[in-house]
Amino acid sequence: MSTYFTIENAKSGRAKCKKCKETLEKGHLRFGTHSTGGDFEMVSWNHVECFKIPRKFAKEFTGDTAHQDFIREMVTDNTIDKELDDDDKLMDVAQKMGTKATSTKKRKADPDGDDDSGFMATVKRNAASILGQDVDDAEDDNNKDDIDIDIMDETVDDVKKGPAKKKMKMSMSAEEKKQAITYNKYCKKKLDELKDILRWNHAMVSGKKDFVLARIIDGEYYGRLALCTVCEYGKLKVIDGENKIACGGYFDEEGGFHKSCFAKFDVEKAPRLQPWYSDSPTEEEKEAMEAEYTKESDDKKSTSNLPEKILKSVRKINWDLSSRDNMKKSSAALVALIVADTSPIAALEGVEDEDGSGSKKVKMAVGKMVLQNKDKSAEEILDLVVEKYGMKEAKKKAKAAKAEVTANVCVVPANGKVHELMTELSDLYYKESNTNAGNSYRKVAEAVRTLEFEITASNAKGLGAGKKTKVAGVGKGSADKMQEFFDNGKIAKLEEKRAANA
């Protein structure tokens, strides 16, 4: 008997959840567990909140991203709008998985549906104390218009609401006070109004009111979440119920696949951008924000940025594509300029032939461009070459900047190089559509990033084995590759992948 899983919108509203026995409302998301054998198929349905990863898959999907990984690898998306193609919605579904039992308990303890513990409960208590009220009184007043919140800007000595209140206010840290002030500022707003604020700041908008308020409080205090500094392109998100910020990866448009990222940051250490917008930003501000969230490569520029010397040389080529022989001569003349030592184009970087030069592969690539673009001039072909290979100086700067960023994101900066190599290996596997291997090396890279001691030639091999030295997320093969790097200065498998993808 085989089993597979689906997620879809409930079609009729007649089926019931296998776990809680409640009706699955029409249109709401539900997980399906399909068991097939011979000529029959059985299916059981669950609310998203009631569905847990089956026990036989529990060892395969572990860690903080277990739910996300399970959905991406095991669940077929049959929703009307293919909702799981949207990373924000996928993460929202992953966060809700298996939470029904917990939320039911909370509803029994608090009929109003509010959690009586955790971050938001603390914020509400502090917010009520600032207003000189009990929590219940403050929540009752959230719908009134006569709350005087000017008191929030006063000092403890200025507030004359009795000794009990004064004592509570003085026990708050500066951070807690600002969070409470922010809560009082926004708690009366409707959910749609709050979600607009998140949209203005490029933040995830799903979730109930308390979770939405938590993200706004986070943003007001720390600033907007920037792109992930580990994978460089992923959107960061606040994790509900944790003091953490996580990246779920991003969709690689060029490769046509999703690249996972397992980076997780403490709230106060997550990369941020300023300002946070409490009101709708202007068109100019929107454009500036869009630029901050759009990753552009500086190493690929048009020929207008090339030195005039090489442009003059290109213009002198007798560019004749009228016959096969003339086409070969024209291409050869252009390739000679591109691969020359004085060329600013990075055509030979990371490309090697049997003779170690790489010029043969460049010649083949340029020849192919010429064949596909017979109507273009030599300068226009050069534009395509620059777009493909980039510029030496820009690549050099980008490489140095990436090395610095990689070192900075590691708990121990000295582990930056190992993190960079594991990430590159992951990227190359993704490029070959080997998602499983790509995810595996992404997890290794994240394990290296969060390691609290330096990886050296004497301890690298032990990271993949041994009761005392084994590091979660690092396997024997990965540890062997790290050891190989320390012993030889390079990793054979990585060199092989680089050559294959050049």
Side-chain angles (χ1 to χ4, degrees), residues 318-346:
N318 182 20
W319 195 251
D320 182 1
L321 307 181
S322 59
S323 67
R324 189 175 184 84
D325 286 341
N326 289 338
M327 198 179 295
K328 282 185 177 180
K329 290 176 183 177
S330 298
S331 296
L334 183 59
V335 169
L337 290 173
I338 292 167
V339 301
D341 292 339
T342 55
S343 171
I345 301 169

Side-chain angles (χ1 to χ4, degrees), residues 114-335:
D114 294 319
D115 188 5
D116 59 356
S117 63
F119 172 73
M120 282 305 294
T122 302
V123 170
K124 288 178 183 179
R125 282 194 291 270
N126 290 339
S129 76
I130 283 179
L131 294 175
Q133 298 169 303
D134 292 329
V135 175
D136 292 337
D137 293 337
E139 291 181 355
D140 289 340
D141 283 345
N142 281 345
N143 297 318
K144 296 180 182 180
D145 296 327
D146 59 352
I147 296 179
D148 179 11
I149 61 172
D150 290 339
I151 197 172
M152 295 187 302
D153 296 324
E154 298 175 4
T155 63
V156 173
D157 293 333
D158 294 330
V159 182
K160 298 177 181 178
K161 293 287 182 180
K165 178 192 169 186
K166 196 177 289 187
K167 183 177 179 181
M168 284 189 72
K169 288 192 70 178
M170 291 183 70
S171 67
M172 288 184 221
S173 66
E175 178 181 356
E176 288 174 329
K177 183 176 180 182
K178 182 160 185 184
Q179 289 169 343
I181 289 170
T182 305
Y183 175 82
N184 282 331
K185 178 180 176 182
Y186 292 107
C187 63
K188 292 191 292 179
K189 289 184 178 291
K190 294 179 180 178
L191 183 59
D192 286 343
E193 294 176 308
L194 296 173
K195 287 186 175 183
D196 281 340
I197 295 170
L198 293 178
R199 287 189 187 95
W200 297 336
N201 292 280
H202 284 246
M204 188 172 73
V205 298
S206 60
K208 294 183 179 179
K209 187 171 182 178
D210 269 7
F211 188 29
V212 171
L213 276 167
R215 274 175 274 167
I216 290 174
I217 291 168
D218 171 85
E220 285 256 336
Y221 191 79
Y222 294 107
R224 288 179 284 124
L225 287 168
L227 293 177
C228 176
T229 51
V230 176
C231 70
E232 299 185 67
Y233 296 91
K235 288 179 68 177
L236 296 176
K237 302 169 184 69
V238 178
I239 303 178
D240 192 10
E242 293 186 41
N243 192 37
K244 297 285 184 181
I245 305 293
C247 176
Y250 64 96
F251 186 78
D252 187 311
E253 296 286 352
E254 186 178 340
F257 52 83
H258 182 276
K259 277 188 179 179
S260 299
C261 179
F262 304 95
K264 189 178 277 191
F265 305 87
D266 292 332
V267 166
E268 61 275 11
K269 293 180 180 178
R272 302 282 180 165
L273 296 169
Q274 297 294 344
W276 172 269
Y277 293 97
S278 300
D279 297 307
S280 180
T282 64
E283 289 303 316
E284 291 78 9
E285 289 169 334
K286 286 179 183 178
E287 287 181 15
M289 265 197 295
E290 201 61 45
E292 289 175 322
Y293 289 101
T294 304
K295 204 72 174 161
E296 294 182 349
S297 177
D298 291 329
D299 65 329
K300 294 179 180 179
K301 299 179 181 289
S302 69
T303 52
S304 61
N305 295 281
L306 285 169
E308 187 61 28
K309 186 176 180 180
I310 191 173
L311 290 176
K312 283 182 178 179
S313 299
V314 170
R315 290 168 191 146
K316 289 179 181 178
I317 294 175
N318 182 20
W319 195 251
D320 182 1
L321 307 181
S322 59
S323 67
R324 189 175 184 84
D325 286 341
N326 289 338
M327 198 179 295
K328 282 185 177 180
K329 290 176 183 177
S330 298
S331 296
L334 183 59
V335 169

Side-chain angles (χ1 to χ4, degrees), residues 19 31 47-53 67 91-107 208 240:
K19 181 178 180 181
F31 274 107
H47 290 106
V48 171
E49 294 83 354
C50 293
F51 184 83
K52 292 184 177 180
I53 297 175
H67 289 170
M91 184 168 277
D92 190 39
V93 170
Q95 287 175 342
K96 289 177 180 177
M97 279 176 63
T99 60
K100 183 98 179 213
T102 305
S103 59
T104 303
K105 189 179 288 186
K106 286 180 182 176
R107 281 199 295 274
K208 294 183 179 179
D240 192 10

Side-chain angles (χ1 to χ4, degrees), residues 2-22:
S2 61
T3 304
Y4 68 96
F5 305 91
T6 61
I7 187 168
E8 63 175 46
N9 304 90
K11 295 173 182 175
S12 65
R14 293 193 299 269
K16 290 188 177 181
C17 174
K18 184 178 180 181
K19 181 178 180 181
C20 71
K21 310 303 179 186
E22 294 177 7

Side-chain angles (χ1 to χ4, degrees), residues 280-471:
S280 180
T282 64
E283 289 303 316
E284 291 78 9
E285 289 169 334
K286 286 179 183 178
E287 287 181 15
M289 265 197 295
E290 201 61 45
E292 289 175 322
Y293 289 101
T294 304
K295 204 72 174 161
E296 294 182 349
S297 177
D298 291 329
D299 65 329
K300 294 179 180 179
K301 299 179 181 289
S302 69
T303 52
S304 61
N305 295 281
L306 285 169
E308 187 61 28
K309 186 176 180 180
I310 191 173
L311 290 176
K312 283 182 178 179
S313 299
V314 170
R315 290 168 191 146
K316 289 179 181 178
I317 294 175
N318 182 20
W319 195 251
D320 182 1
L321 307 181
S322 59
S323 67
R324 189 175 184 84
D325 286 341
N326 289 338
M327 198 179 295
K328 282 185 177 180
K329 290 176 183 177
S330 298
S331 296
L334 183 59
V335 169
L337 290 173
I338 292 167
V339 301
D341 292 339
T342 55
S343 171
I345 301 169
L348 293 179
E349 290 190 11
V351 182
E352 288 188 9
D353 299 326
E354 292 80 1
D355 61 359
S357 67
S359 58
K360 186 177 178 181
K361 288 188 177 180
V362 174
K363 185 177 180 179
M364 289 173 64
V366 173
K368 188 176 180 181
M369 289 180 195
V370 173
L371 278 171
Q372 293 173 343
N373 300 276
K374 293 180 182 179
D375 58 328
K376 295 188 182 296
S377 67
E379 278 190 72
E380 289 173 321
I381 296 295
L382 191 61
D383 252 333
L384 298 176
V385 172
V386 172
E387 187 179 332
K388 177 177 175 64
Y389 294 110
M391 308 286 283
K392 287 179 180 177
E393 189 60 32
K395 279 200 167 187
K396 185 178 178 182
K397 289 179 180 178
K399 189 175 181 180
K402 186 173 182 180
E404 184 179 351
V405 168
T406 303
N408 288 338
V409 298
C410 290
V411 173
V412 177
N415 292 335
K417 186 61 181 178
V418 176
H419 176 270
E420 183 182 338
L421 294 173
M422 294 298 108
T423 301
E424 185 182 357
L425 199 48
S426 169
D427 287 342
L428 291 171
Y429 273 113
Y430 278 133
K431 203 169 181 180
E432 295 176 349
S433 300
N434 190 339
T435 307
N436 287 336
N439 285 343
S440 295
Y441 281 105
R442 266 289 194 273
K443 290 177 182 177
V444 174
E446 180 60 13
V448 170
R449 187 185 75 83
T450 56
L451 212 56
E452 295 184 347
F453 58 86
E454 183 179 350
I455 303 173
T456 64
S458 61
N459 64 18
K461 199 174 184 69
L463 301 182
K467 291 183 179 180
K468 293 183 179 180
T469 59
K470 176 77 171 70
V471 171

